[in-house]
Every structure is written in C-alpha cells, then in structure tokens.
Amino acid sequence: MANVRFSGVTKAYGNTSVVSDLDLELPDGSFTVLVGPSGCGKSTSLRMLAGLETVTSGTITIGERDVTHLQPRDRDIAMVFQNYALYPHLTVAENIAFPLRATRTPRREALSRAGEVAESLGLDKLLSRKPKDLSGGQQQRVAIGRAIIREPSVFLFDEPLSNLDAKLRVETRTELLQIQRRLGITSVYVTHDQEEAMTLSDRMVVMRDGHIAQQGPPQEVYTQPADTFVATFVGSPKMNLLDGQFRGRDFLLANGFALTTDQAGAAGQLTLGVRPDDLQLAVTDSDTAAAARVTLIENLGPRAIVTIDARGTEITAVVEGPALAGIAEGTPVALSVRPGATHLFDAATGQRSV
Ligand code: ADP
C-alpha cells in the first residue's frame, strides 16, 4: 500500500497539452475516481501513473519512490482494463495464477494462491472453468483476481465496467467496492460515468480539458460544485441553470418568469442553479408572473421527472409521488426552491459565488 502523488504533471503531444500541470495527492488506501467527459485526459493521467505513457514534465511518486521514469513492471501496480482479455485456453485458476507463473513461482504454489484469491472473490466454485463458460461479471472478477494476486501497492482501473450491461454493472460495482474496502489497496479508477464516480469514490476528481475542475469527497462535489461545469456534470437529471437577477426573494428571468427562493439575493446578473429534486411545485393560476406549465411527466415509480415550460425556458423537476397530486401535463404551476438549496454562480465566469 502507498500514497500516490502527481506533481505538476503535464502531457503534451506536440504543442497541445492534453494534461496540464496536474497536482494530485491520493492518500494511502483511498479510492480515487477520475471522472469527466470523453477526451478530458483521465486515461492519459492513469496511463502515466501506470508507466504506459511518458510524462512530458513533472513527477509521479508512489510511496517514497519517484516512479516517473520507471518501467510499468517496476512500479508495483496492477491494472484492470475495460477489455480484461482473459486467456481463453486457461482455466479460472490458471488465469488468476498467471502473473505469478510469469515470475516463475512454482505451479503448485501459484495455483494454491489463486485458490485463495478466487475464494475472496466468490469464484472458488468456478476454478476449473474456461472464460467462455463464465458470465461477464464473473470474467471481470477473474480479471480483478489476476490483478490482486500480485498484491500490488496501487490498483488502477480504466473503465472496467463499461462492457457490462446496466444491471451487472451495478452489481459488479458493489462487489468492487467491497473488495477494495477489504483489501485497503490505494485505487485509482477512471470513468466518464458520474454516477459510478459518486458511488465508488471516497475522493472524486472531476477533470475538464486536461485540468482538475474540482476534487474532494463526492458529497462535497455534489453539494458545493465549484462552477457551472461541475454543477451540471454531477447529478442526474442535471442541475437547472437559470440566468436572471433577484428582486427581493424572487429570482426573475429575462423572460419575466419569477422563481421563489428563500434568499434575498445579491444584486446584478447571476446564474442560479437548482437541482431538479430541490424544486417545489404548486398548482397556481395561469395568469400570474410565476406561472409555468407542466409539459411532460415521466413516471419513475416513487417519483416522477417533470418537465416544465417557464415562458420558453425549460426547467426539470423531480417530484415525489404525493407531491404530484393535482399535477398533470398542462397544469400551470408556480416554482419555488427548497430552503437552502440554491446555488449561485457568477453569470460571466460560471464560478460559484455562494
Ligand atoms: P479521456 O480518457 O478523458 O477520454 P484521454 O486521456 O484518452 O481522454 O485523451 C485526452 C486527449 O488526448 C484527447 O483529446 C485525445 O484525443 C488526446 N490524445 C490521446 N492520445 C493522443 C496521441 N497519441 N496523440 C495526440 N493526441 C492524443
């Protein structure tokens, strides 16, 4: 086990930096998820840590060791990829034992260790199966087993669940978290899926255009997004962003629509952010300035996603079942923000202001 540090790490292709001046400290035993839209530099960062990509400038350390220029095999890391590429002609036990065999551990000893690892992953009844006779989730666990058996000081995961179907992805995600908690190995995980990042990480690093947009515990990133990019990237359905200004406690959009908040807000043009589940709907008279109209209700069982047309501005709300009473498509509604749930951003820069 070890902590990992990126200090001023840059990766450039020609004149283009795809990762710029990355400073990141991952404590021993932590589970860090790098998340962001496609092309933001997450895989490149992970691959530089793995030694699969050179570093243009800066240093990477694992524990006390500067590994910046070490070969991948000398870094004491293990990596699980999206395409976990098990050897089809080998059994589960042989696949898991493979890294030990590659370092010339005697066959019996390697298979015995593989048996222990398989047991910890719930694969002990499948030891003699070939990969083609396993489900996708089981194959993924074998790939994890193959990574664990070397007892690396750092575990790297590059979108390891993206080939699995939705249900299996959630199940395997839970298993992965349990394994990581049990082993306590410092882990770095790359995904473009914000939900996966929220559920897995104890440290979430949101990246954008080769930079860190925000890092911290996932709940902090969710409740205190640093800017409008992070605000809309994290959370589903995504946060509503509305441009306007306060008039007393009402937030007035340019189109004349008024949204009620519990804040007597700052003067001037602002961007107000409100998560769909922080909006409250009240049936109202269609003639008031606050009236908007429900255009679509998507039922999710205990709650519904409600799309609202506020004088031409589309607003999304998530409404719990009981609060839906009396609301149908076409109903005029007034909107208010749950107390304490407004996010305010600078209208020009998008930076959080409250
Ligand atoms: P992510 O994992 O966030 O989707 P990557 O780290 O894979 O993003 O890529 C970051 C950026 O680097 C992308 O814009 C990609 O096109 C660019 N890139 C990756 N490899 C190369 C390369 N060999 N030459 C030039 N640009 C590259």
Side-chain angles (χ1 to χ4, degrees):
M1 286 194 273
N3 61 335
V4 172
R5 189 196 304 256
F6 287 76
S7 306
V9 172
T10 293
K11 175 71 184 181
Y13 294 105
N15 289 330
T16 313
S17 291
V18 299
V19 174
S20 306
D21 205 16
L22 189 69
D23 284 319
L24 202 53
E25 170 122 34
L26 319 179
D28 195 7
S30 62
F31 198 134
T32 301
V33 178
L34 306 183
V35 64
S38 180
C40 70
K42 347 177 256 299
S43 294
T44 303
S45 303
L46 194 76
R47 291 171 62 81
M48 286 192 285
L49 173 55
L52 300 173
E53 205 73 79
T54 57
V55 170
T56 307
S57 61
T59 56
I60 300 177
T61 55
I62 299 178
E64 299 303 310
R65 291 193 310 151
D66 181 342
V67 301
T68 316
H69 302 294
L70 293 185
Q71 291 296 316
R73 65 171 179 275
D74 298 327
R75 295 189 182 207
D76 198 17
I77 50 153
M79 190 147 171
V80 179
F81 295 94
Q82 178 177 342
N83 297 316
Y84 23 91
L86 301 177
Y87 300 105
H89 58 290
L90 300 183
T91 63
V92 166
E94 289 163 342
N95 263 290
I96 295 176
F98 193 85
L100 294 188
R101 295 289 289 147
T103 56
R104 302 210 165 72
T105 306
R107 182 178 162 81
R108 262 176 70 140
E109 187 184 329
L111 286 177
S112 156
R113 269 292 291 141
E116 289 167 26
V117 168
E119 191 173 348
S120 76
L121 295 170
L123 292 167
D124 40 325
K125 298 203 167 48
L126 307 174
L127 283 170
S128 52
R129 288 217 193 152
K130 297 277 175 62
K132 69 173 171 37
D133 300 322
L134 300 175
S135 70
Q138 290 165 338
Q139 291 186 26
Q140 185 56 266
R141 270 185 278 160
V142 176
I144 293 169
R146 194 171 56 182
I148 290 174
I149 199 164
R150 289 174 32 215
E151 299 179 358
S153 39
V154 185
F155 240 153
L156 307 183
F157 299 93
D158 193 356
E159 304 252 5
L161 308 182
S162 48
N163 280 349
L164 306 179
D165 68 42
K167 182 164 173 285
L168 202 54
R169 200 156 60 224
V170 172
E171 287 171 15
T172 314
R173 185 172 83 193
T174 308
E175 282 173 9
L176 190 65
L177 195 55
Q178 287 165 343
I179 293 166
Q180 197 272 343
R181 292 274 196 277
R182 201 164 59 235
L183 299 176
I185 297 178
T186 311
S187 300
V188 191
Y189 187 108
V190 160
T191 181
H192 63 276
D193 180 341
Q194 60 87 26
E195 185 185 309
E196 208 165 282
M198 287 287 293
T199 49
L200 282 173
S201 65
D202 43 46
R203 300 171 55 80
M204 186 163 166
V205 179
V206 185
M207 293 186 69
R208 179 191 196 185
D209 298 338
H211 294 273
I212 296 175
Q214 187 171 3
Q215 59 174 312
Q219 202 53 30
E220 182 182 301
V221 173
Y222 183 81
T223 55
Q224 304 276 313
D227 58 26
T228 50
F229 167 78
V230 177
T232 50
F233 184 75
V234 176
S236 176
K238 69 179 185 195
M239 184 187 281
N240 297 288
L241 292 180
L242 303 167
D243 288 327
Q245 40 192 311
F246 278 99
R247 193 186 52 198
R249 293 183 173 205
D250 282 348
F251 190 75
L252 202 64
L253 310 195
N255 62 17
F257 176 74
L259 175 75
T260 308
T261 80
D262 64 333
Q263 254 188 280
Q269 197 68 18
L270 291 166
T271 300
L272 179 138
V274 54
R275 296 213 179 271
D277 25 3
D278 289 331
L279 275 172
Q280 295 167 322
L281 277 58
V283 178
T284 187
D285 186 338
S286 62
D287 295 334
T288 70
R293 199 168 286 278
V294 171
T295 56
L296 189 67
I297 299 180
E298 294 166 81
N299 228 310
L300 300 176
R303 60 191 70 85
I305 300 176
V306 179
T307 305
I308 297 150
D309 174 25
R311 302 190 174 194
T313 299
E314 189 173 286
I315 296 178
T316 307
V318 170
V319 182
E320 297 294 324
L324 273 174
I327 293 173
E329 288 172 5
T331 305
V333 287
L335 300 181
S336 57
V337 183
R338 234 167 17 90
T342 39
H343 301 262
L344 293 177
F345 303 99
D346 185 294
T349 64
Q351 294 295 310
R352 183 179 194 86
S353 54
V354 175

